Every structure is written in C-alpha cells, then in structure tokens.
Amino acid sequence: MTLHVSGSAESGTGTGFVLDGRGHILTNNHVVAPAGSTGDITVTFSGGETASAEVVGQDSGYDLAVVKVSGVSGLKPLPLGNSDNVQVGDPVVAIGAPFDLSNTVTSGIISAIRAADAGSGLDGGQAGSIGLGFAIPINQAKRVAEELINTGKASHPVIGVTLDMQFTGDGAKVGGKAADGGPAVTPGGPAAEAGIEAGDVITQVQGQRVHSGEELIIKIRAHRPGDRLDLRLERGGKELSKTLTLGSASGT
C-alpha cells in the first residue's frame, strides 16, 4: 500500500503494511512526520481503494509509526517472520513505493545484520534505519508497534552510559564523560548498578562479540526494558563479567 502524506510545509509518500484487522498499519515515522498535528494522511491499497488515516503513535528513535484507517473492511494482516533467524546471504524482497511508483518490488540478499548511525548515547540515543539499504528487524518493529498501539509511544531499553564513539579498538568503550559534561555512567542507572565504570570496554553481550559502539547499541535495542544481559568487559587488562538489567526511556 502507499501512504500519501501532506502537511503545511511539505508532503510525500511512503509504504506500510497491515498489522491487524482493526485497521492498524505500520510505516516509518519519517513518512508520517510531514503531516504534523494538522496534516492529512491517505492510504491507497493495492486494489485501488483509498481511505483516510490518523496517527496512533510514532517514535523517531526507531523510525516507526502506526496509523489507523477507518471505513475499510476485509483487511488481511501481513504474516510476520522471525528476524532472529535471519542470516547474511538470505534472499529478500523489498516492496515499496519509491518516488510514488506503486507496487514496486526489488529482490536481493541480506548483506549485513546491522544498522547505521546509532548515536553515541545508551541513555536515549537514536538508532534506526538511515537512508537506503538499512532495515529495521521485524521482531523489534513488532514490539514497538504493539507499544505504539497500546500506549501511543514506545519504550527504549537503556543501560545508562555514554560511549566513546572515537574509540578505534575492538569493543565498545564507555566514555570519560557525557555530552553535557556529567559522568559517562549515569549515577544510579543500570550500568552503575551492574558495576560498569568509565573507561570499561564492553566486548560481549549474551555471549556474542561486540566490535564497536554502534554494534553494542544495536544489540541493546534488540532487547526489552527489564531484560537481564550478561556482559563481558575489559578493565585495566583484566576481563570481567557483569549482569545488567536494562532500564527504560520513553521514545520521542
């Protein structure tokens, strides 16, 4: 389907898919953002039928939004897969409406299981899809969509540290201070409670290697607030194990 969005300053088109029979549709936040609070959203289905839609909830961090159409019957939800089972090299197809070209399909393979430009903060930094070629894991999208439908906003799992994104070694290094000049490890936060300190280099999450700050953020974002994670880290040449319970931050 194609979403046509118009606002006071700009307009555009995008793609979404049906989540349930109640009319909820999942799309990207950047698709509906131009509508603001007063704009219009119209959905055109593959059969040519059109319907107006309203935003149910949106989250810029995950770049996801849910809209709901009214007056449409017989909607068939898209069966969702399991992104945890995806492997590099798996065949995939992308269905969308680039430049308002409806029913466009492109085939390819999964080239990497990562995202780009995740931000430097694990206390609320953004992570999501940036430009062409990057996808949001469907398991993550499903969780966020459920929260947007139920509450209008989504929670972000956080560990309460600021990372040193200039670190070129192997692993994710906790910075010396936060962007505002405060401590890099949030006092009383999940990382502080787990005994993580400034300068620590996190090397594993749940037994999986972490090679960079971006990769750590991606792995954290794949979990829910409240999940307990086993971490391995290096401090002063020694390897340590820590157990951390993820905190929660509201999305924007």
Side-chain angles (χ1 to χ4, degrees), residues 196-229:
I196 295 175
E197 301 176 359
D200 286 350
V201 178
I202 299 172
T203 58
Q204 290 186 31
V205 176
Q206 297 292 83
Q208 297 182 326
R209 287 287 301 176
V210 171
H211 300 288
S212 66
E214 290 90 348
E215 194 170 347
L216 174 62
I217 294 172
I218 293 162
K219 289 186 183 300
I220 294 299
R221 283 292 177 90
H223 294 274
R224 296 173 181 263
D227 285 354
R228 290 169 59 88
L229 301 182

Side-chain angles (χ1 to χ4, degrees), residues 18 26 28 31 36 41 44 52 64-65 67 78 82 85 96 114 128 139 150 158 163 173-174 179 181 205-206 218-219:
V18 176
L26 182 64
N28 290 115
V31 171
I41 303 174
T44 302
S52 61
L64 291 171
V67 302
L78 181 71
N82 183 355
N85 296 333
R114 294 189 58 176
N139 289 4
N150 292 332
V158 297
L163 299 176
K173 185 177 182 179
V174 179
V205 176
Q206 297 292 83
I218 293 162
K219 289 186 183 300

